[in-house]
């Protein structure tokens, strides 16, 4: 195993892994992207939205416990998904400037070791999943197909971000089902809105790699949109706000939800207004700001349970 490389390009210079983790553990933590926790947030927050969307009383112990389970599960499954993605993409990652020093292409972790990491993370996640009820368990098992297929989408479609949207927001349905034991039309519409949110923010992220992707033949929504980034991302974000709004109506949320939804939309509008596809530092900051978008959506749903 080689020495730990420098801080990876999309990790903060102050990330805890490079500053505090033992040197021997750093490649494993980087394999699971624990040095870049925004992805954990973006996987956890849809689940949190689903939990509070389905809750009769958002301040209950059940809600708090489910949120804790989803936080732990999100960290583990995001790590497993990233490790599997890196296993599949190891040859491509070696050709892209932003990813060539990830643990597998850098030679710090072997492909077989990465698969062991995936298996261990998945088994621990299973212990969490079995506590969520049969409907959520079924949804969790179904999500494995989405996770397994995602790394291959960039090879067969110009819109792998759409598949990521289906995958990353699946937790909304699981969170909702873990509280209610079923799915509803309102929950499905809200989920569809979150899918478009992910297409928007991951398109912003994909613009960082657009030149390398074109060189090695990898497809993305950024390449499909080209210079029409603001128009495309605006369209996806508008659909996200509209569909989550309709989902709130169908789901019976009260009018304070729409005050929170307006603030969420305003935050997304400012992302688009600031967007410049030739500034990778800005692109990464805008992508990371979607943690705040998700927190605003959670707050909006909580407000929607408040009877005026």
């Amino acid at each position: 195993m080689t020495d730990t490389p420098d801080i990876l390009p999309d990790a903060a210079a102050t990330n805890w892994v490079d500053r505090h983790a033992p040197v021997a553990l750093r490649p494993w933590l980087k394999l699971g992207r624990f040095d870049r926790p925004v992805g954990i947030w973006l996987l956890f927050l849809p689940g949190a939205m689903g939990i509070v969307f389905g809750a009769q009383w958002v301040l209950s112990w059940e809600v708090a416990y489910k949120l804790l389970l989803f936080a732990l599960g999100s960290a583990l499954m995001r790590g497993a998904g990233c490790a599997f993605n890196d296993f599949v993409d190891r040859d491509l990652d070696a050709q892209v400037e932003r990813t060539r020093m990830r643990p597998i292409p850098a030679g710090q972790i072997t492909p077989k070791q990465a698969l062991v990491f995936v298996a261990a993370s998945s088994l621990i996640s299973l212990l969490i999943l079995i506590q969520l009820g049969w409907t959520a368990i079924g949804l969790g098992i179904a999500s494995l197909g989405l996770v397994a297929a995602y790394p291959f989408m960039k090879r067969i479609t110009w819109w792998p971000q759409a598949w990521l949207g289906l995958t990353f927001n699946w937790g909304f349905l699981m969170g909702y089902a873990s509280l209610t034991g079923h799915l509803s039309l309102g929950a499905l519409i809200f989920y569809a809105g979150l899918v478009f949110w992910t297409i928007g923010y991951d398109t912003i992220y994909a613009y960082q790699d657009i030149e390398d992707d074109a060189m090695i033949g990898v497809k993305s929504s950024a390449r499909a949109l080209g210079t029409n980034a603001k128009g495309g991302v605006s369209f996806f974000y508008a659909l996200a706000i509209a569909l989550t709004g309709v989902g709130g109506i169908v789901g019976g949320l009260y009018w304070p939800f729409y005050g929170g939804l307006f603030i969420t939309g305003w935050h997304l509008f400012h992302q688009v207004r600031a967007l410049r596809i030739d500034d990778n530092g800005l692109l990464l900051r805008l992508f990371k700001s979607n943690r705040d978008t998700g927190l605003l959506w959670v707050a909006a749903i909580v407000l929607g349970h408040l009877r005026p």
Side-chain angles (χ1 to χ4, degrees), residues 44-59 63 67 171-173 175-176 186-187 189-191 194 197 240 243-245 247-249 251-264 293-307:
F44 164 68
L45 286 168
M49 293 180 218
I51 290 169
V52 296
F53 192 83
Q56 294 296 316
W57 177 243
V58 295
L59 297 180
V63 168
L67 288 171
F172 179 90
L173 301 178
Y176 181 85
I189 295 172
F190 205 105
Y191 165 73
L194 296 179
W197 170 47
L243 286 170
T244 55
I249 292 173
L253 296 180
Y254 296 110
W255 66 261
F257 165 73
Y258 297 96
L261 187 63
F262 175 82
I263 296 172
T264 306
T293 309
L295 289 170
L296 288 170
W297 248 310
V298 172
I301 297 170
V302 171
L303 290 173
H305 283 290
L306 300 178
R307 190 182 299 272

Side-chain angles (χ1 to χ4, degrees), residues 40-88:
I40 298 174
W41 279 104
L42 293 175
L43 188 59
F44 164 68
L45 286 168
M49 293 180 218
I51 290 169
V52 296
F53 192 83
Q56 294 296 316
W57 177 243
V58 295
L59 297 180
S60 69
W61 283 109
E62 181 183 17
V63 168
Y65 183 60
K66 293 291 173 61
L67 288 171
L68 176 61
L69 290 179
F70 268 74
L72 294 174
S74 296
L76 288 166
M77 286 309 297
R78 191 258 185 153
C82 289
F84 181 71
N85 185 78
D86 287 2
F87 168 80
V88 174

Side-chain angles (χ1 to χ4, degrees), residues 36-219:
R36 286 154 284 172
V38 66
I40 298 174
W41 279 104
L42 293 175
L43 188 59
F44 164 68
L45 286 168
M49 293 180 218
I51 290 169
V52 296
F53 192 83
Q56 294 296 316
W57 177 243
V58 295
L59 297 180
S60 69
W61 283 109
E62 181 183 17
V63 168
Y65 183 60
K66 293 291 173 61
L67 288 171
L68 176 61
L69 290 179
F70 268 74
L72 294 174
S74 296
L76 288 166
M77 286 309 297
R78 191 258 185 153
C82 289
F84 181 71
N85 185 78
D86 287 2
F87 168 80
V88 174
D89 285 350
R90 58 192 183 276
D91 294 331
L92 294 176
D93 284 346
Q95 302 176 60
V96 176
E97 180 64 26
R98 186 177 59 82
T99 59
R100 64 184 179 84
M101 292 308 296
R102 285 177 176 176
I104 298 177
Q108 294 185 299
I109 291 176
T110 69
K112 287 184 179 179
Q113 288 174 324
L115 290 180
V116 172
F117 179 92
V118 172
S121 299
S122 299
L123 285 173
I124 299 171
S125 298
L126 178 61
L127 299 178
I128 296 172
L129 178 64
I130 60 177
Q131 301 180 60
L132 301 180
W134 286 111
T135 304
I137 290 171
L139 288 167
I141 293 171
S143 73
L144 296 177
L146 293 171
V147 174
Y150 170 67
F152 303 98
M153 290 298 112
K154 64 174 69 73
R155 295 164 170 82
I156 62 177
T157 176
W158 288 101
W159 298 95
Q161 282 68 30
W163 196 268
L164 184 70
L166 294 171
T167 306
F168 250 56
N169 295 292
W170 198 255
F172 179 90
L173 301 178
M174 292 178 61
Y176 181 85
S178 75
L179 265 292
T180 66
H182 66 273
L183 295 178
S184 68
L185 179 60
L188 290 169
I189 295 172
F190 205 105
Y191 165 73
L194 296 179
V195 171
F196 284 105
W197 170 47
T198 298
I199 297 173
Y201 72 63
D202 202 55
T203 296
I204 292 173
Y205 189 82
Y207 271 102
Q208 297 176 93
D209 297 329
I210 191 168
E211 293 181 0
D212 287 332
D213 286 349
M215 180 180 66
I216 63 179
V218 169
K219 299 176 181 179

